[in-house]
Amino acid sequence: MRHLIDILELSVDEIDALIETANDIIANPEKYAEKCRHKKLATLFFEPSTRTRLSFEAAMYELGGNVLGFSEAASSSSAKGESVSDTIKVVSSYADIIAMRHPKEGAPMVASMKSDVPVINAGDGGHNHPTQTLTDLLTIKREIGRLDNIVIGYCGDLKFGRTVHSLANALSRYKNVKMVFISPEELRIPDYIIEEVLKPLGIEYVETADLMEYMPELDVLYMTRVQRERFFNEADYIRLKDSYILDAEKLSHAKETACVLHPLPRVNEIAIEVDEDPRAKYFIQAKYGKYIRMALILKLLGIE
Ligand code: NCD
């Protein structure tokens, strides 16, 4: 039995195969409509979510399966003091597969150790978010045509932004990927990613506080929200929240072929006017999230 807690648990070949399956689902959805008949997905969300939870649920429905779960900790027995381990032991006797989001780093990993069914990390605190990464990779592959030989700029809250951590990990295994980390000093990419991932793998990277410095070189600009819920005090959040706002003028310096991604939700970091630019791919990215999660559910359930 396999779980998905960290994106690095999937080999590059496995990721490529998931992308291929997602592409096939997009092209031939009817082939997949009954694949998960009588299977149940539990979505256990201890933190807010729109896209991740609903795309998981839509994914299971489109595979012909069913869904159960909760969307806030307050409506589960964790509000009565139940541990994650106990919740998972019980839920894994009701469902065939579990997607779990939790504010504590490592909670889905603990859950996977207690579960009788596959557990998918749907975001753990400021740590990881592997299924968002699969979504991002599918989007880059479809929109740019490749995952090797790209220059990607990550902009915003690189400290608490779990989607950036997982995506940088995943892309570090593709060939000739250059990474530009754009953030205020206080929200820099964590040292462990630089020291344990980028340096050992010889990945070319730079850090800058200036969004425009590398704009003309970027193939992908990955914007992120400043993660208010992970700040220790509101004053710091207010000071940093509008550090970067991508608008049409700034984007006019980017390549014609570039693409702008964002895991969403957007707060202020991309001006609404950018939505009309053909390089804005964040809404289609959210849509692709459903297809790659369909592919992942099939893989973890061992369904061909
Ligand atoms: C992201 C998350 O939850 O980490 N959202 C998502 O899953 N699409 C990004 C965010 O909340 O800023």
Side-chain angles (χ1 to χ4, degrees):
M1 181 176 65
R2 281 188 73 183
H3 307 283
L4 179 61
I5 305 303
D6 187 311
I7 193 69
L8 294 176
E9 293 159 13
L10 293 171
S11 68
V12 169
D13 284 349
E14 285 178 310
I15 288 177
D16 292 346
L18 284 169
I19 290 175
E20 218 172 283
T21 305
N23 282 329
D24 193 52
I25 294 171
I26 292 169
N28 308 291
E30 67 292 344
K31 253 170 68 182
Y32 294 86
E34 301 290 329
K35 292 272 185 196
C36 285
R37 191 52 80 211
H38 306 305
K39 297 284 185 197
K40 281 170 280 171
L41 164 75
T43 53
L44 310 186
F45 277 61
F46 296 86
E47 250 195 358
S49 169
T50 298
R51 274 148 293 270
T52 304
R53 186 172 62 84
L54 297 186
S55 69
F56 260 117
E57 297 191 354
M60 197 53 167
Y61 286 126
E62 290 196 21
L63 292 167
N66 295 301
V67 171
L68 62 163
F70 52 81
S71 56
E72 49 175 358
S75 65
S76 77
S77 280
S78 82
K80 299 179 183 171
E82 186 172 51
S83 67
V84 164
S85 300
D86 285 2
T87 303
I88 285 291
K89 267 193 206 151
V90 174
V91 174
S92 70
S93 70
Y94 301 151
D96 301 287
I97 186 164
I98 296 171
M100 177 182 168
R101 168 171 289 188
H102 201 282
K104 280 212 184 92
E105 287 82 2
M109 210 250 291
V110 171
S112 71
M113 288 154 49
K114 299 288 173 184
S115 177
D116 299 325
V117 302
V119 173
I120 301 169
N121 177 4
D124 63 327
H127 189 214
N128 278 326
H129 194 344
T131 65
Q132 180 63 45
T133 296
L134 292 173
T135 301
D136 303 338
L137 296 174
L138 174 64
T139 309
I140 297 170
K141 183 75 196 230
R142 286 182 68 92
E143 299 299 327
I144 305 247
R146 62 184 194 277
L147 291 166
D148 297 312
N149 304 311
I150 59 168
V151 182
I152 178 167
Y154 309 89
C155 175
D157 186 347
L158 311 188
K159 178 177 181 188
F160 297 117
R162 57 193 173 195
T163 65
V164 170
H165 306 157
S166 291
L167 183 56
N169 265 311
L171 282 173
S172 69
R173 298 184 304 177
Y174 286 84
K175 289 191 203 75
N176 192 27
V177 173
K178 178 176 170 183
M179 304 194 189
V180 181
F181 296 100
I182 308 151
S183 74
E185 178 64 28
E186 294 93 327
L187 300 178
R188 281 175 52 201
I189 188 85
D191 274 348
Y192 76 86
I193 293 191
I194 293 183
E195 298 300 329
E196 290 166 31
V197 183
L198 305 181
K199 283 188 181 166
L201 291 170
I203 308 294
E204 195 182 337
Y205 76 92
V206 283
E207 290 187 88
T208 175
D210 178 3
L211 171 57
M212 299 313 292
E213 191 178 353
Y214 294 91
M215 184 70 91
E217 276 186 52
L218 303 178
D219 297 302
V220 179
L221 174 57
Y222 193 92
M223 297 296 295
T224 63
R225 164 181 79 90
V226 176
Q227 307 279 299
R228 179 181 203 159
E229 66 274 35
R230 318 236 183 265
F231 276 69
F232 294 109
N233 71 70
E234 184 73 1
D236 283 347
Y237 168 72
I238 293 186
R239 184 167 51 80
L240 293 167
K241 72 183 175 68
D242 293 327
S243 298
Y244 303 100
I245 299 176
L246 179 69
D247 58 19
E249 198 287 317
K250 290 185 184 123
L251 189 56
S252 73
H253 298 266
K255 285 184 184 174
E256 281 299 319
T257 53
C259 79
V260 180
L261 303 187
H262 190 311
L264 303 177
R266 152 175 63 186
V267 184
N268 261 339
E269 54 283 349
I270 303 180
I272 305 291
E273 63 188 21
V274 172
D275 298 0
E276 280 151 40
D277 191 295
R279 292 169 289 188
K281 301 295 185 191
Y282 28 91
F283 290 113
I284 188 108
Q285 178 186 7
K287 183 171 171 183
Y288 290 151
K290 179 181 70 182
Y291 300 111
I292 200 78
R293 289 182 173 102
M294 289 171 78
L296 179 66
I297 290 169
L298 290 173
K299 179 180 173 67
L300 295 183
L301 288 177
I303 296 170
E304 286 292 302

